[in-house]
Amino acid sequence: EDQVTQSPEALRLQEGESSSLNCSYTVSGLRGLFWYRQDPGKGPEFLFTLYSAGEEKEKERLKATLTKKESFLHITAPKPEDSATYLCAVQALFSGAGSYQLTFGKGTKLSVIP
Amino acid sequence: GAGVSQTPSNKVTEKGKYVELRCDPISGHTALYWYRQSLGQGPEFLIYFQGTGAADDSGLPNDRFFAVRPEGSVSTLKIQRTERGDSAVYLCASSLDRAGQGTDTQYFGPGTRLTVL
């Protein structure tokens, strides 16, 4: 069974204080690992897809990296508008019925204090 | 362009009632997914459509839940005899689903918050 564990559950940072969020996963062959951002009362907003170990992607203050067992979302010099819940999800290479369903972690709630 | 839309945004119903939740995917997206998100949890898969057919309904919790996509675009999630435990946010996502060509990003709608009293 595919599993995703995110840590920490919540993270409080001062504006400008860089940090990393962790996503550990077990999957029967990884098709892709996804990062989403979710604001309160909204649906998840796509950030990145990573396909293979060693891959990195960046967008503004965010950088996602991938190893064979985990992914990190690095946040450099965060701003208050980066406050949100960050969700990690995996998509298995071999899914029943050809489904490309995502298996999500519980998320990390990030608060950036001015 | 327009994203995934869902209606209603909020639905309050009484235990035992029937509800329908609607999803309009991104134009041209052939794959459509329904997920359910409880408070403090990540979304959990319910059902996947490729075109008009439900290709994978393994996430539906029981036979009170049913979904259709008759013309391969709009989808409706139907819940019969609602229970208090059905209260959650129901999310819809769509993707291009280029099978065999790698992963396809799933784009989510804003969700429908269902409250069963």
Side-chain angles (χ1 to χ4, degrees), chain B residues 73-90:
Chain B
S73 179
V74 171
S75 176
T76 303
L77 178 66
K78 308 181 181 194
I79 310 175
Q80 298 178 319
R81 304 183 304 281
T82 52
E83 299 177 357
R84 293 194 179 89
D86 298 334
S87 297
V89 175
Y90 289 80

Side-chain angles (χ1 to χ4, degrees), chain B residues 13-19 36 61-65 79-88 90 114-117:
Chain B
T13 190
E14 294 179 343
K15 180 175 178 296
K17 298 289 188 182
Y18 168 83
V19 297
R36 178 167 72 173
N62 51 60
D63 61 6
R64 294 187 297 105
F65 288 75
I79 310 175
Q80 298 178 319
R81 304 183 304 281
T82 52
E83 299 177 357
R84 293 194 179 89
D86 298 334
S87 297
Y90 289 80
L114 175 66
T115 303
V116 182
L117 301 176

Side-chain angles (χ1 to χ4, degrees), chain A residues 92-110:
Chain A
L93 196 56
F94 306 108
S95 295
S99 171
Y100 302 130
Q101 60 180 277
L102 299 176
T103 299
F104 282 87
K106 293 183 179 181
T108 293
K109 184 175 181 179
L110 175 66

Side-chain angles (χ1 to χ4, degrees), chain A residues 5-79:
Chain A
T5 304
Q6 292 188 246
S7 62
E9 291 185 6
L11 182 62
R12 194 176 166 94
L13 298 174
Q14 288 294 128
E15 184 172 1
E17 179 187 3
S18 301
S19 188
S20 295
L21 313 182
N22 177 263
C23 170
S24 297
Y25 65 91
T26 56
V27 64
S28 54
L30 181 70
R31 178 180 289 273
L33 184 140
F34 296 78
W35 282 98
Y36 286 85
R37 167 192 172 128
Q38 187 172 30
D39 292 299
K42 304 278 183 70
E45 175 189 345
F46 171 72
L47 293 174
F48 304 109
T49 309
L50 301 167
Y51 296 98
S52 56
E55 188 174 1
E56 299 182 352
K57 288 194 176 172
E58 289 188 64
K59 178 181 179 180
E60 296 181 353
R61 295 176 292 282
L62 300 177
K63 177 179 174 181
T65 62
L66 181 65
T67 72
K68 289 187 178 180
K69 293 184 178 180
E70 57 192 350
S71 177
F72 293 94
L73 185 65
H74 308 276
I75 303 177
T76 302
K79 298 181 178 182

Side-chain angles (χ1 to χ4, degrees), chain B residues 25-85:
Chain B
I26 294 171
S27 178
H29 280 193
T30 58
L32 186 147
Y33 297 81
W34 284 98
Y35 292 83
R36 178 167 72 173
Q37 186 174 27
S38 301
L39 194 62
Q41 305 293 315
E44 293 180 315
F45 170 74
L46 295 176
I47 187 169
Y48 157 66
F49 286 90
Q50 173 55 259
T52 60
D56 183 358
D57 64 358
S58 62
L60 295 178
N62 51 60
D63 61 6
R64 294 187 297 105
F65 288 75
F66 188 72
V68 296
R69 195 186 184 198
E71 297 178 356
S73 179
V74 171
S75 176
T76 303
L77 178 66
K78 308 181 181 194
I79 310 175
Q80 298 178 319
R81 304 183 304 281
T82 52
E83 299 177 357
R84 293 194 179 89

